Amino acid sequence: GSVCAIVASVLRASGKKVGVYNSPHLFHWSEAVLINDVPDLEGWRVSMHAIQEALGDVDRAKGKYTAFEASCAAMWLQLVTAGVDYAVIEAGVGGLRDATNVCDTVSAAVLTSV
C-alpha cells in the first residue's frame, strides 16, 4: 500500500487523475478504490451492482468466480468509468492468475518484498 500511495501522490502532483486500488483495504471496504485520494462510494456501488448483474448469482453458486474476482472486475469498471489517467493497482501474490493481473497496458511495475 505504501508504494501505491507514493506513486499515486507523484502522479497527482503532476496534475494527473489517479485511481488507486488497495487490497485488502486498511480499515473499511470503501477505501479499496480511491479516485484522486478520495473514496468514490457511489461509483463503487454502481460498478459492483453492474458486475453482479452481469455475472449473475447462478454462476457464483457454481463456483465460476470468487467474491474477490467480482470486486476486482468492479474496480476496473469503476476506474474506467471515472476516466482516470493512471490506475495504480496493488497486485496480489496470485501471479498470472491474480484477478488484478488483467491489464494489457502497463506503464510500470514495482516489486517489493512481502
Side-chain angles (χ1 to χ4, degrees):
S2 59
V3 172
C4 289
I6 292 167
V7 170
S9 69
V10 170
L11 291 169
R12 280 193 315 277
S14 69
K16 301 300 181 187
K17 185 175 184 180
V18 182
V20 176
Y21 178 68
N22 287 304
S23 178
H25 54 273
L26 297 177
F27 300 105
H28 190 265
W29 62 267
S30 64
E31 68 188 20
V33 178
L34 304 173
I35 309 295
N36 280 344
D37 210 28
V38 177
D40 177 12
L41 301 178
E42 182 62 14
W44 175 253
R45 187 193 65 74
V46 169
S47 296
M48 194 61 177
H49 178 73
I51 293 302
Q52 288 172 335
E53 288 288 315
L55 294 175
D57 292 336
V58 174
D59 286 342
R60 181 150 188 236
K62 293 180 181 176
K64 292 186 179 179
Y65 67 91
T66 66
F68 176 69
E69 291 166 335
S71 69
C72 283
M75 171 270 298
W76 286 114
L77 178 59
Q78 183 179 4
L79 295 177
V80 167
T81 302
V84 299
D85 297 312
Y86 288 93
V88 180
I89 310 299
E90 182 180 32
V93 293
L96 293 175
R97 290 191 163 82
D98 194 288
T100 59
N101 191 19
V102 297
C103 188
D104 290 336
T105 305
V106 177
S107 298
V110 179
L111 300 176
T112 63
S113 61
V114 176

